[in-house]
Amino acid sequence: MKKGDSLLKMVISLGVITCISAALLAWVYSITADPIKQAEREKQAEAIKAVTPVYDNDPIAEEDDVMPVGEPAPLAVFPARRNGNLVGAAVESYSSDGFSGEISVMYGFDINGNVTGYEVLNHTETPGLGDKMDEWFRDSLSTQRNIIGKDPAKTDMKVSKDGGDIDGITAATITSRAFLDALRRAHNAFIQYRDSEKR
Amino acid sequence: MNKLRIIYNGLVTENPTFVLLLGMCPTLGTTSSAFNGMGMGLATMGVLICSNMAISAIKRLIPSKVRIPCYIVVIATFVTVLQMFMQAYLPSLYATLGIFIPLIVVNCILLGRAEAFASRHTVIDSMFDGIGIGFGFTIALTMLGTVREFLGTGSIFNYGIYPETYGSLVFILAPGAFIALGLMIALFNRIRQKHTDHA
């Protein structure tokens, strides 16, 4: 040990470096916080627009939390209205049964509960396998895969392997199950929201 | 020291993936497609250049006993800064690479170059070392990603070469990563050896 390497010097140098790093991070955070929030809001708004029927209100401003029966956590519902009448909604749903962690998907429904679209928001599924879900379930050429236009109340939203009506992603059955699990959850929340509004 | 020599050293003589065998965890984890591999390589290169320069600049101020924690603080700071900037200004790139960015902190290439090169050379030389090693890493990851994507899904950079159903799934998953990497290391060293024998 050199004489210069006293305990005090070590503490001070490490302390100074940590402080400079913290200051730098705080500064970068302060200038990026707003653009990050903006980017996330835009992503959410785009997803809502992509999945719901045409609307003329601001679904994000009317966001409502719905607690589906028997669920641990509420889901965010973004109602779409035309001339003040409810025409459908986007529901941000999730499933924790993914192949590697939680998946979060925005589903859109029309007033009758038919699926009008979906956008995968977040997932950590295997690249090349499970991450195909963002296209797989809206393939208009395959009625077995496509969920758009189907009513989860009438269609058995399970993969065909489990006796359902939907063909899961090849080699990614677990991801497919999680995706449909999230869809059922979103549908329940939407029906509950719609029925509570009627009353 | 000759700048080109430093870059050549990083690219071939001390290629981090094929010769030093450093940073295997992100190498195996992120190379399921050519694009992912290249993105991870470029992100690592950016952080490596910054951290090499910063560490080289402050090397005289750090007592040798606490140098490792100091290096880690510097590296982690740059990684977090990169992550925040990416999230704010390149959200679409962040969506595909976001989960890999924090992995750069634990990439031992950065710590290894800080210890082996930056702490003993000038700021400019360290920058070139960052470019060389980072470029070597990027090329290695892109090649490995290309091989795996081609064998696994039949496409390169999402451009289909042959039908996906003929692809062998194992190359997308972890075992295929080990097999492909092992064979590529052998090939690289064979070529390199032949080259040095002649010279």
Side-chain angles (χ1 to χ4, degrees):
Chain A
M1 188 178 171
K2 277 186 293 173
K3 261 193 180 158
D5 288 5
S6 66
L7 184 64
L8 189 67
K9 197 189 160 194
M10 285 195 267
V11 172
I12 290 176
S13 54
L14 189 53
V16 168
I17 288 176
T18 323
C19 287
I20 295 174
S21 297
L24 180 69
L25 286 181
W27 177 68
V28 172
Y29 177 79
S30 70
I31 57 169
T32 54
D34 279 339
I36 289 175
K37 236 183 234 156
Q38 186 67 31
E40 272 169 8
R41 258 202 306 269
E42 270 168 28
K43 195 176 162 193
Q44 198 182 38
E46 259 169 45
I48 292 171
K49 203 167 179 185
V51 299
T52 46
V54 183
Y55 54 82
D56 57 12
N57 64 328
D58 181 2
I60 294 183
E62 291 186 45
E63 177 185 344
D64 201 355
D65 283 348
V66 172
M67 192 86 183
V69 182
E71 292 290 339
L75 300 182
V77 175
F78 303 93
R81 290 172 209 286
R82 209 158 41 216
N83 304 324
N85 298 319
L86 190 70
V87 291
V91 183
E92 192 175 338
S93 183
Y94 68 94
S95 173
S96 34
D97 297 333
F99 191 68
S100 49
E102 191 165 282
I103 63 169
S104 121
V105 188
M106 181 82 77
Y107 295 96
F109 299 97
D110 66 13
I111 190 72
N112 298 317
N114 296 320
V115 181
T116 50
Y118 73 91
E119 285 288 325
V120 179
L121 301 175
N122 244 319
H123 75 91
T124 48
E125 300 304 295
T126 320
L129 297 175
D131 71 346
K132 279 187 208 143
M133 65 183 158
D134 52 3
E135 290 302 329
W136 183 275
F137 294 104
R138 53 168 149 231
D139 188 339
S140 51
L141 295 174
S142 167
T143 44
Q144 286 290 305
R145 273 154 60 167
N146 199 359
I147 61 162
I148 312 294
K150 287 183 183 163
D151 183 355
K154 292 179 194 131
T155 315
D156 191 6
M157 286 291 176
K158 279 188 191 148
V159 291
S160 43
K161 236 181 215 177
D162 298 343
D165 295 336
I166 305 293
D167 274 354
I169 306 166
T170 317
T173 306
I174 294 175
T175 305
S176 312
R177 277 189 195 130
F179 178 87
L180 295 173
D181 173 52
L183 170 61
R184 282 194 301 271
R185 189 165 291 131
H187 184 253
N188 289 344
F190 172 69
I191 296 298
Q192 204 168 314
Y193 179 83
R194 186 191 66 187
D195 293 350
S196 71
E197 181 132 322
K198 269 184 191 162
R199 247 178 271 132
Chain B
M1 213 170 165
N2 189 336
K3 314 291 182 232
L4 277 176
R5 187 117 211 113
I6 299 175
I7 293 191
Y8 180 79
N9 177 58
L11 264 175
V12 182
T13 324
E14 288 189 16
N15 186 293
T17 307
F18 294 138
V19 181
L20 300 180
L21 299 187
L22 286 177
M24 288 292 111
C25 165
T27 303
L28 295 167
T30 63
T31 52
S32 57
S33 75
F35 180 81
N36 284 353
M38 192 177 73
M40 181 65 184
L42 290 175
T44 308
M45 179 159 112
V47 174
L48 183 61
I49 294 170
C50 294
S51 71
N52 255 6
M53 288 172 76
I55 285 164
S56 172
I58 59 170
K59 60 179 181 280
R60 282 184 215 293
L61 309 171
I62 304 175
S64 67
K65 279 203 161 173
V66 289
R67 66 184 191 285
I68 302 285
C70 290
Y71 296 164
I72 292 177
V73 170
V74 171
I75 293 166
T77 306
F78 279 116
V79 171
T80 316
V81 167
L82 175 81
Q83 184 177 13
M84 290 195 283
F85 272 122
M86 222 164 145
Q87 211 174 349
Y89 301 110
L90 299 165
S92 58
L93 188 65
Y94 182 77
T96 37
L97 291 177
I99 47 170
F100 302 135
I101 303 296
L103 276 179
I104 298 176
V105 181
V106 292
N107 190 330
C108 42
I109 292 173
L110 290 113
L111 196 58
R113 291 327 282 178
E115 174 81 13
F117 198 97
S119 61
R120 294 180 200 148
H121 293 84
T122 62
V123 176
I124 301 295
D125 280 356
S126 300
M127 184 182 84
F128 280 99
D129 181 66
I131 296 172
I133 292 278
F135 207 51
F137 189 59
T138 308
I139 288 181
L141 256 59
T142 313
M143 276 163 56
L144 186 57
T146 308
V147 168
R148 287 181 63 191
E149 191 183 349
F150 180 71
L151 294 176
T153 66
S155 45
I156 292 173
F157 281 103
N158 281 330
Y159 181 79
I161 309 282
Y162 64 88
E164 196 179 334
T165 30
Y166 296 114
S168 94
L169 188 61
V170 71
F171 281 99
I172 298 294
L173 300 171
F178 281 99
I179 295 168
L181 179 63
L183 291 174
M184 284 180 76
I185 290 172
L187 186 69
F188 186 86
N189 284 295
R190 173 91 187 146
I191 294 170
R192 205 169 57 101
Q193 233 158 28
K194 255 193 183 160
H195 209 70
T196 36
D197 283 348
H198 284 295

